[in-house]
Structures are given as structure tokens and as C-alpha cells.
Amino acid sequence: MSAPRKLFVKTYGCQMNVYDSERMAGALGQSGYEQTDDMGEADMILLNTCHIREKAAEKVYSELGRLRPLKEANPDLKIGVAGCVAQAEGEEIMRRQPLVDLVVGPQAYHRLPDMEARARQGEKALDTDFPEEDKFDHLPAPRGPKARRAPAAFLTVQEGCDKFCAFCVVPYTRGAEVSRPAARLMAEARDLVERGVREITLLGQNVNAYHGAGDGGDWTLARLVRELAKVDGLERIRYTTSHPNDMSDDLIAAHGEIDKLMPYLHLPVQSGSDAVLKGMNRRHTAEQYLRLIERIRAARPDIAMSGDFIVGFPGESEANFADTLALCEEVRYASAFSFKYSPRPGTPAAGRDFVDDATASDRLARLQSLLTRHQREFQEAQVGRRMSVLVEKPGREAGQLVGKSPWLHAVHLDAPADSIGQVVDVEIVASNPNSLAARRIGA
Ligand code: 5AD
Ligand code: SF4
């Protein structure tokens, strides 16, 4: 038997891409590939790309250019582009970069083994379709020695988005909302737990719009969470990313009722100004968002909120921006991501007049300094508290391990290596810039 071929996957962007990369590796495993961390020995290099940030496509082209020496050294090396840039650029990638053998969009990953075979024959393989079938049905989870599971895993439950926010490419690159059937997700979750997973983060571009076929009709996300909570050995459940308008009453109630559902919610608002929210086509006001958070906090008082913001969106005035700062003061996010608006070709906002760059940069700096202050205050408030930590991996120093708090802090603690994969009780003893330090209690 010939030696296995080596696959090198480089993943950009969101957690969904991390999950997809793993499944693509699983699929190519069936074509005889083993994963490698060394690009130099690869027989196939797959870039799993992201289109959300500025100049994303240009960055992919320059990354591809850097692969030229490898391809010259090894003419059998196949180079593939997957992910949202593959979807958005399609054939253009092959035209601009003849080194590329294969371009595959996110909805066509189950066709990858076939495409790889065609690429091996010297053909160029391109697939950016949105087929009807569930791609994950045909994408096995990775197996073998490299597939030992970390204690926290992602599980994609829903893909695509029907919201069409005026700045966003996702409805174009990932397509319409599709939910995976609940029975498959339950089976996949049980399989993950059998392989040592203790925490599952349910993923979807619009995860709280999930409505997948299940026993007795469609299941909502709340129903899925309730059923997952019954799986023995699964100790923690999270989900991301949610749209405020899909935060249903049963999901809010679940936060108050299900201990395994972690007290942390990523609920992007993008702006605190009604005028800007309207321009963004977010379909809710700042007030509605704030009242929603009140209801969520009434159900689960210790919940930590997280958000995304865009500053300098076309038409944003200084007064509109001040509304964003005011909203942040009211919510006090435990963590948040903020970006300067940048136009994405093909999206409604791309043709509008935008705020000049100096003003946008200044607003971003002011917003980030406020968000960082709130984040630090939230973290410092943990010192002296007792909480559970899922121990995930060795830390940098000998004897030190790193885990995660219910509120998604990185927590350092001294504990024996065999506590990796366990949920342990700790007391927080210090707050460092990007993590907490803890000591184990009750061990
Ligand atoms: N410009 C700036 N930020 C954007 N985001 C999405 N599209 C753009 C854009 N065109 C941000 C949003 C989203 C996060 C994932 O990325 O805040 O929630
Ligand atoms: Fe993009 Fe999220 Fe808006 Fe959908 S809801 S269009 S993914 S920002």
C-alpha cells in the first residue's frame, strides 16, 4: 500500500470555518490523506478562507503567490481554495492564479473527494453550487490518532443567513438559512461526548433561527439545547452567533432553566443608533435591544453579554456614534468585537457615501477603549469568586493548565495533567491582562 498523502489545511476567520476544515480533513481522509502541520511536506494545501474582513480576496491571492516555490519543488502538490472567498470569487481565482487546482464553496464540501480525484488527473476542479443535500451527511468526522478530541468542540447546526444586513456578505457567500436535522445533531453530539468532549458550542451564522426537523416536527434551538442537556457526559452547551430578532421566549427561558447552558451570550447589535440600525437593515431599535437584554438578564441574572460593533457605517454622525457609546455604557459587555466599516462588493451599503477614514479610526479607538475598560472591570470582578473551569490543555509553564470559565475567560491553574477534560472547581486569585489565575478547591 502506498504511503498516505499529506494534507495541510490553513483556516481563516470564524469558528464555522474551523469546524468545516475538520470535516474536509475527514472527507479527504477517505481519499487517503493524513493531516500534517508542515506545509513543506504536503501533497495538498487547502486554504479555508474568510471574506468578512477588508481586502480578504487580495490577501488570499498574495498567500497563494507565496506557495509558488512549494509547487515548483513538488509538481504533484495540489492547491485548493475553500471557504467564503472561494464562493465569492469562483472562477476568477483560477484565472488569476494558475497554481490553483481546486476551488470549492462552503456548500459543496461533500464533493471534495471527487474534486480531488479530478485534480489528481490534471483537471481544474471548481464547485460553488448550493446543492439541496446536507453536505455534512457525506462528510465524515476525522478518525485516527490525530482525531483525539479536545474537551471543547464545535458543532454546526445551521448555515447561511436570510437577514441581509446592508454591510454583510454572508447571505451571498453562505446562502440561505438551512438547519440540519435534529436527529443527526444529537447523534453527532453523542459521538463527540464518547470521544471525550465535555463542552459543545453550537454554530450557525444565525444560530438562534435554527429550526431543524426533529421528533414531532421542527425543533427550535431551545428544544435542541434542552435535549442536548440530557446527554450524560456533556457538561456545557454554548451557541453562537445570534440575531436579536430571533431571541425567542423559549430560548430566553432556557437560559434560566438549564444549568448546562453557559451564562454567556454573543448578541451583536452593531450600533446603538436607530438611524444607523435602519440603514444597516437590522430591523430593530436600540431600545428593543436593551429591553431584550433586560428580559435575558431577568431569566439568568449572571449572564455575560458579548457583541459586535461597526463604526463609520455610511451616514453615521457624531451624535449617532455617541448613541453607540451610550448603549455600551448601559449593557456593559463582558467582551466585544468592533470594526471599522469597510464596503463589501455586491452588498447594499457598498455604494453609499462613507465616513472618512480618520473619523472612523478615531471612533473605533474611542469605542474600543470603552469596551476594553468594561471587559477589564468584568474580569477583575471575578477575583475571589468560586466557579467551575473546564480544563482544556497544558499551559506555558510546567504544571500549569489552562481552562475556560463559564463566562469564557481563559483560566490558568496548577493541577495534574490528568485533569484535562474535567470540569473542576476553582477560586479565582488574580486577574491578568487576558486571563484569570485560579487555585483548585475541593480536590
Ligand atoms: N465592515 C465591517 N465589519 C463588518 N462585519 C461584517 N461585515 C462587515 C463590514 N462590511 C462585522 C460585523 C459582524 C462581524 C462578524 O463582522 O460586526 O457581526
Ligand atoms: Fe450578516 Fe449576521 Fe446580518 Fe446575517 S445577521 S446578514 S450573517 S451580520
Side-chain angles (χ1 to χ4, degrees):
M1 208 181 101
S2 59
R5 291 204 169 103
K6 302 279 189 188
L7 169 69
F8 178 90
V9 186
K10 184 161 179 179
T11 307
Y12 301 81
C14 65
Q15 294 153 331
M16 192 168 287
N17 271 6
V18 174
Y19 179 85
D20 283 350
S21 288
E22 201 171 286
R23 300 302 289 266
M24 286 193 275
L28 288 170
Q30 295 195 319
S31 311
Y33 281 84
E34 249 177 25
Q35 265 184 283
T36 175
D37 299 326
D38 176 3
M39 197 188 256
E41 66 166 17
D43 301 288
M44 164 112 145
I45 295 176
L46 202 53
L47 304 183
N48 190 8
T49 62
C50 168
H51 202 268
I52 208 98
R53 298 272 81 87
E54 200 170 4
K55 302 201 178 78
E58 287 314 309
K59 284 178 192 151
V60 171
Y61 288 118
S62 56
E63 177 78 27
L64 287 169
R66 282 196 290 276
L67 299 180
R68 180 178 304 281
L70 289 176
K71 185 106 173 180
E72 280 166 3
N74 173 13
D76 286 338
L77 170 66
K78 299 295 166 200
I79 295 179
V81 182
C84 292
V85 174
Q87 187 67 42
E89 295 276 299
E91 249 169 88
E92 176 70 11
I93 299 179
M94 303 266 196
R95 273 206 305 120
R96 268 186 65 176
Q97 187 44 273
L99 294 177
V100 174
D101 302 285
L102 180 162
V103 173
V104 58
Q107 304 312 326
Y109 292 158
H110 52 299
R111 297 176 178 164
L112 199 52
D114 178 50
M115 295 174 72
E116 186 276 341
R118 276 159 48 210
R120 285 273 151 229
Q121 309 278 313
E123 273 180 54
K124 298 272 180 188
L126 172 94
D127 195 333
T128 51
D129 283 355
F130 285 101
E132 286 290 314
E133 66 266 23
D134 178 357
K135 66 177 176 184
F136 293 117
D137 272 2
H138 310 274
L139 284 177
R143 300 278 164 190
K146 280 215 72 173
R148 257 206 40 238
R149 297 302 320 222
F154 298 124
L155 175 57
T156 293
V157 305
Q158 176 278 335
E159 270 191 275
C161 183
D162 297 341
K163 293 276 188 294
F164 291 91
C165 297
F167 51 81
C168 186
V169 287
V170 166
Y172 312 95
T173 57
R174 292 272 172 171
E177 276 173 19
V178 178
S179 294
R180 298 179 61 201
R184 297 224 185 89
L185 298 173
M186 293 300 295
E188 202 172 319
R190 287 196 192 94
D191 182 56
L192 288 168
V193 171
E194 261 166 43
R195 290 190 284 139
V197 168
R198 295 290 164 261
E199 173 178 306
I200 291 181
T201 300
L202 307 175
L203 295 181
Q205 267 92 25
N206 234 323
V207 72
N208 57 343
Y210 174 82
H211 55 93
D215 281 352
D218 269 10
W219 287 16
T220 59
L221 185 67
R223 175 81 191 272
L224 181 63
V225 168
R226 284 178 198 279
E227 298 296 332
L228 283 170
K230 295 179 192 158
V231 174
D232 278 342
L234 178 60
E235 305 204 38
R236 292 174 157 198
I237 303 166
R238 304 177 186 274
Y239 61 91
T240 196
T241 291
S242 298
H243 190 287
N245 291 357
D246 291 313
M247 226 37 233
S248 61
D249 290 344
D250 64 341
L251 189 55
I252 295 174
H255 277 280
E257 292 162 11
I258 299 173
D259 288 341
K260 290 183 179 181
L261 185 56
M262 290 291 102
Y264 183 99
L265 180 61
H266 185 59
L267 194 64
V269 67
Q270 314 295 355
S271 168
S273 149
D274 289 346
V276 174
L277 288 169
K278 194 155 200 285
M280 288 176 164
N281 191 32
R282 293 288 293 181
R283 299 168 198 263
H284 63 76
T285 63
E287 186 61 23
Q288 284 165 334
Y289 178 81
L290 290 169
R291 297 294 79 85
L292 173 62
I293 291 186
E294 256 172 26
R295 285 166 51 222
I296 297 166
R297 283 185 168 151
R300 180 81 206 223
D302 66 341
I303 201 161
M305 297 303 307
S306 148
D308 290 342
F309 293 90
I310 296 177
V311 302
F313 185 77
E316 184 189 67
S317 68
E318 184 57 31
N320 296 152
F321 174 66
D323 288 341
T324 298
L325 296 178
L327 179 137
C328 292
E329 286 287 5
E330 195 159 340
V331 176
R332 303 188 75 82
Y333 290 94
S335 114
F337 304 93
S338 45
F339 312 97
K340 242 191 314 185
Y341 172 71
S342 79
R344 297 286 171 279
T347 57
R352 302 182 197 161
D353 284 345
F354 46 99
V355 173
D356 72 89
D357 193 57
T359 305
S361 298
D362 174 63
R363 288 180 190 165
L364 185 65
R366 282 152 64 204
L367 176 61
Q368 288 186 337
S369 105
L370 182 69
L371 292 169
T372 308
R373 181 157 63 75
H374 289 161
Q375 181 166 353
R376 199 178 324 117
E377 284 168 8
F378 177 68
Q379 205 182 288
E380 281 163 3
Q382 310 306 317
V383 178
R385 286 185 66 183
R386 294 179 168 207
M387 61 182 68
S388 69
V389 165
L390 173 62
V391 186
E392 293 190 342
K393 56 188 176 199
R396 237 174 271 152
E397 287 159 38
Q400 190 191 57
L401 302 178
V402 195
K404 226 185 294 140
S405 83
W407 299 277
L408 225 51
H409 303 99
V411 181
H412 292 263
L413 70 162
D414 288 329
D418 65 4
S419 28
I420 290 176
Q422 293 175 18
V423 176
V424 301
D425 290 322
V426 305
E427 181 183 316
I428 303 300
V429 294
S431 170
N432 300 316
N434 292 310
S435 64
L436 295 168
R439 88 183 161 78
R440 221 177 142 174
I441 50 178

